[in-house]
Amino acid sequence: MDGRPLYLEPRLEPRLRSLVAAHGTLHSIVDALGSPLHVVVPDQIAENLERFRSVYRSHHLSGQVFYAHKANRSSALLRRLAATDAGVDVASLGELQHALGAGFSAGRITATGPKNPEFLWLAARAGVTVSVDAVAELDQLAALVRKHTLAPVRVLLRLSGFESSGVKVLSRRSRFGTPVRELELLLEAVERHADAVDPAGVAFHLDTTSVTEKATALEGSLAALELCRSRGLRPRAVDIGGGFGIGYLAEREQWEAYTTALTAAVLGRRPPLTWGGHGYGLRNESGTLRGTLGLYPAYRSVAGAAYLDELLARPAASLGGRPLAALLLEHLYDLHTEPGRALLDQCGLTLARVLEVRTQEGGGELLVRLAAKADDIALEDHGVLMDPVVVPRGGAGPGDVPVAVHLFGSLCLETDLITRRTVFLPRRPEPGDLLAFANTAGYAMDFHATRAQHQPAAGKVAAWQDGDAWRWCLDDQFWPITPARGAQ
Amino acid sequence: MRYDSITEAIGNTPLVRIDPAVHGLRTIDLYAKLEMLNPFGSVKDRAAWSMAGPLLAEAVEHGSQVVELSSGNTAKALAVIAGMHGLGFKSVTNRMRVPEIKDLLLLLGAEIEELPGQSECLDPTATDDPLTLFHRTLAASGSAYLHTDQYFNPRNTEAHLTGTGPEIVKDLDGRVPDWFVACVGTAGSSTGVARALREEDPSVRVVGLVAAKSDFIPGIRTIDEVQEVGLFDPETYDTMESVTADQAIEGMLTLNRRCGILGGPTGGAAYFGAVRHLRALDAESEERRTAVFIVCDRVESYLSYVRQRRPDLLGRPPRRNSPADLSEAEVGGAPSVTVAEARRWIETDRPLVVDLRSPYAYAALHIDGSVNIVDELFAELVRGGLPFSRRQPVLLACPVGEQSARYGALLTRMGHPDVRSLAGGIIAWRDAGAPLVRD
Ligand SMILES: Cc1ncc(COP(=O)(O)O)c(C=O)c1O
């Protein structure tokens, strides 16, 4: 390596920072429950919700923040949210059952995603709002309502393929939603099923970091709502989905230095920064860089609630250049959002015990093996590069010299790398130490986890602050009324 | 100078000496190569003409559309050239962040496509990035497109090797400057000029300037982004240095205000980078030396860029009768009526109901008989004085009663005796079940 360590230190807000520093607690939980282990921090999700709410308030907007449940299976997080005024967005029968069981009344639930008949029936039966993907799904839902003589179901019409005027914004094709140019057909179906469905508005979810694309979609949604109104419907809401993102890293400079070094490494101008010279999507074609960096933009100055704020402030060119927030408000529409990842910002971490630290013959990076599989710590699956924090077992370790390491998992597979990146740590870890991977609650905890090779999937606990101390219980044992839950 | 076509006016741009009192260098004569004086406004006129010119006849025959990945100047030149030959032009980009340039391109008849943003969730099924897909589409379509491919096309570099570079030498009376400083976008101008100069005198030092990594300077790339450019070769430059957006604007101001050179931010970045680099070398010998930098384009297209970053530079005197001047107490004290009171008042006294929302929202649903004066327009209207007779009672309505309270307070201060704001706005009106109509 060329000497200087390239750190990617995680962004830690006070609550998570305090948890990472609670070395004794973290070791005792892993001693009790084994490695790997997820720790979620339910109180943080309530705080994140409040940040979204304050953006709503600053634009005078009403409407619901629906937590996108898919991002984490935790019961503790869900139940903590049930004790707030948030809603939940469920994408499967199991998630719907979970939400109902956690205390969400039907009015606070929307059903999105691909739906099987049981999911649709339970949604209709309970009276949750259904985000309808296509005419066929609407037909299916209406048939269920009639056959089982259920009350009319509130539906949002999920749209895709928005087009802008003037400048064409190319959008990634989506599997979901009805293309806006087929909206008339969808509205004809709505009218056909007037006895069975109550069209409450339109929805979209775009998987993109681009505010411009979302602004185009929101502007297109306003036009779609106008079309609904012109046909005599009374829509009330627009649901703009999730995808508000997280800023994972503490320092912009570290991210910039790292990505520049990665580029240089791919071009062969410095030693590799990854296992096997992996380029994260970049490649060298006769000295020119090709491909695209397939990494999550881990340093983001605008993410989460601030991203929503930026989107709402965007002017809508086809509607006189007024900001989108003003247009929503003036049209008396409710704004619904479905943040998943963003609501889980700072809501948890994953702990893994160091099993082995091997020095390579001839020097180079240390080989560090963890009691965890790569799928338990799925940051890499989402392209999120971020250093773990060493939680030492004993007191001071053997010196404070920075080291470069490769992190391996416990599966008997060459591919079981916790990350393909060479990780720099401020000091050498020792067997028995824990590595704490911060901010894993959004998708990186249990979205991918398996029980391959009879190895355990990570357990999960919920933790909260009680004065200066951290307390915890099994995730499933957590309820908002759990005794000794701090200053409740 | 008489020409048969505007394209003949491309090139032969002036080389203008910067007054030493401005740059403060003692031993170095600094010259600006004013590429902004090309007919379509930038250094890219040369590359566009060099790349497209030889292929136009065939493109016209096939009715091909000219396409380029460009965020500005190349697109502008190509749009004009394509238009002059009856061809369409399309620009594909996600870097076009300056609205005036977008509008200008649309005005020139260009079609613009923006590439999609990065996926929020990493998609393992995504086979290729949007750019690769773009190239594949072009390749598949045969002759339907004339793709000028400015980042890889050697004719881009060649335009400067045979034009810009030799012109500099000629205007310096056959001498090669000691330094050449250029911003790097496609790398075409810097590479071509550097090659031309080195052929005459290999001792010329070449300084390449890029944008600071997290910054955005329209037209130039960051140190990582230049690696994606086929024409970029690190060997071309004796040194690469970065300039921030603020420094580029600072340099631009100096050129604009003190030198009378109405160049844009890239020219500003080149000036700033040149002076910064040369200042350190100025003292090291007493010999007279020369340096040349390029002013790529003109300031006019970047006003919104400046407004965003340095609003202070576009400051205007405060306005009269502005709702912004009201104190919170005045706003709080504005006369208001509840929905129930308003409905009675409308029945008995027939106040003029003014809806301050946008025309789209108003058209969708409004209070029967109200007039729509959108708040921005209303602000303009009151600047000149009261827009209603004092004898006409007025009910102001906005979404939640906030803006209407401001304007109510303002009109009251301006002397209107009976103006009231609808408390809670149209939302309260709707929530109270009062009728809203769509005419
Ligand atoms: C319908 C819908 N809503 C919300 C989300 C959550 O997005 P995020 O976790 O990025 O906020 C998703 C994610 O795929 C989704 O499909």
Side-chain angles (χ1 to χ4, degrees), chain B residues 38-182:
Chain B
N38 276 308
F40 316 134
S42 83
V43 66
K44 296 300 168 71
D45 294 15
R46 297 182 192 255
W49 183 239
S50 161
M51 295 185 297
L55 305 175
L56 284 169
E58 197 190 331
V60 169
E61 199 174 304
H62 292 101
S64 309
Q65 189 182 31
V66 180
V67 294
E68 182 53 275
L69 294 162
S70 165
S71 51
N73 288 322
T74 308
K76 190 167 144 194
L78 284 172
V80 178
I81 292 169
M84 287 170 65
H85 292 83
L87 299 173
F89 171 71
K90 173 160 79 178
S91 178
V92 183
T93 174
N94 49 13
R95 304 171 55 84
M96 205 177 290
R97 289 182 254 173
V98 183
E100 295 99 306
I101 295 188
K102 250 185 212 179
D103 286 346
L104 182 57
L105 282 172
L106 294 171
L107 182 84
L108 292 174
E111 197 186 317
I112 303 174
E113 286 187 1
E114 290 201 2
L115 294 166
Q118 203 180 341
S119 167
E120 184 34 60
C121 292
L122 199 64
D123 178 1
T125 64
T127 38
D128 259 320
D129 57 281
L131 271 189
T132 311
L133 291 177
F134 168 77
H135 283 115
R136 194 174 303 152
T137 315
L138 287 184
S141 68
S143 59
Y145 293 110
L146 190 180
H147 179 208
T148 37
D149 202 12
Q150 60 168 344
Y151 293 103
F152 289 84
N153 192 334
R155 293 195 59 87
N156 176 354
T157 308
E158 207 176 291
H160 302 284
L161 176 66
T162 57
T164 324
E167 288 171 25
I168 292 173
V169 178
K170 184 176 116 271
D171 285 339
L172 292 176
D173 304 321
R175 281 183 38 246
V176 169
D178 297 278
W179 291 278
F180 172 65
V181 183

Side-chain angles (χ1 to χ4, degrees), chain A residues 75-97:
Chain A
S75 295
L77 292 169
L78 194 65
R79 292 170 189 164
R80 181 65 186 84
L81 267 188
T84 70
D85 61 358
V88 60
D89 149 31
V90 294
S92 72
L93 177 63
E95 286 185 359
L96 174 55
Q97 289 173 283

Side-chain angles (χ1 to χ4, degrees), chain B residues 182-435:
Chain B
C183 291
V184 184
T186 66
S189 60
S190 50
T191 307
V193 172
R195 206 173 289 159
L197 298 182
R198 285 208 176 101
E199 277 173 12
E200 297 279 330
D201 180 356
S203 70
V204 57
R205 312 265 93 191
V206 178
V207 180
L209 296 169
V210 289
K213 194 160 168 181
S214 55
D215 246 330
F216 167 59
I217 302 177
I220 37 183
R221 302 203 139 216
T222 67
I223 191 66
D224 290 355
E225 288 167 347
V226 292
Q227 308 290 350
E228 299 163 10
V229 175
L231 302 178
F232 176 78
D233 175 0
E235 299 297 311
T236 302
Y237 310 88
D238 293 289
T239 170
M240 296 288 292
E241 294 175 12
S242 70
V243 181
T244 68
D246 280 346
Q247 292 169 337
I249 292 175
E250 212 46 62
M252 182 180 91
L253 272 188
T254 307
L255 290 179
N256 296 169
R257 293 182 175 180
R258 301 200 54 202
C259 308
I261 294 174
L262 299 187
T266 327
Y271 171 73
F272 186 96
V275 175
R276 183 181 61 188
H277 183 80
L278 298 173
R279 193 168 290 137
L281 305 165
D282 187 28
E284 77 188 20
S285 89
E286 289 302 320
E287 190 190 336
R288 279 224 81 71
R289 292 174 294 179
T290 43
V292 172
F293 69 96
I294 290 192
V295 179
C296 296
D297 69 349
R298 306 176 190 163
V299 64
E300 285 90 336
S301 303
Y302 299 100
L303 292 175
S304 64
Y305 176 77
V306 173
R307 189 177 304 122
Q308 206 176 34
R309 283 156 199 271
R310 289 287 305 277
D312 58 300
L313 295 174
L314 307 176
R316 295 187 182 89
R319 301 180 170 198
R320 285 198 324 126
N321 295 336
S322 160
D325 311 333
L326 295 163
S327 69
E328 282 313 307
E330 272 177 294
V331 176
S336 75
V337 285
T338 64
V339 172
E341 286 163 354
R343 294 182 74 176
R344 251 174 290 143
W345 193 38
I346 291 172
E347 282 297 312
T348 55
D349 293 346
R350 307 235 147 258
L352 179 64
V353 183
V354 179
D355 188 327
L356 298 168
R357 297 175 301 152
S358 67
Y360 311 96
Y362 174 82
L365 283 176
H366 55 255
I367 296 173
D368 200 8
S370 59
V371 298
N372 179 214
I373 309 178
V374 64
D375 57 6
E376 292 154 8
L377 214 61
F378 199 68
E380 290 292 325
L381 218 51
V382 297
R383 198 164 300 134
L386 276 179
F388 321 105
S389 151
R390 282 170 219 269
R391 288 202 314 277
Q392 170 67 57
V394 176
L395 174 64
L396 297 176
C398 72
V400 291
E402 200 186 50
Q403 275 167 314
S404 57
R406 284 201 164 269
Y407 283 107
L410 185 63
L411 294 179
T412 304
R413 182 208 262 190
M414 290 167 70
H416 197 288
D418 194 11
V419 58
R420 308 180 201 182
S421 151
L422 178 63
I426 304 281
I427 290 189
W429 182 277
R430 174 199 64 183
D431 291 350

Side-chain angles (χ1 to χ4, degrees), chain B residues 18-34:
Chain B
I18 306 291
D19 184 348
V22 174
H23 60 64
L25 300 169
R26 287 181 314 112
T27 62
I28 302 170
D29 295 312
L30 182 60
Y31 291 92
K33 176 75 170 158
L34 299 191

Side-chain angles (χ1 to χ4, degrees), chain A residues 255 280 294-298 378-386, chain B residues 122:
Chain A
W255 176 243
Y280 287 110
L295 287 177
Y296 191 87
L379 288 168
E380 178 92 358
D381 276 323
H382 293 275
V384 178
L385 300 191
M386 186 166 48
Chain B
L122 199 64

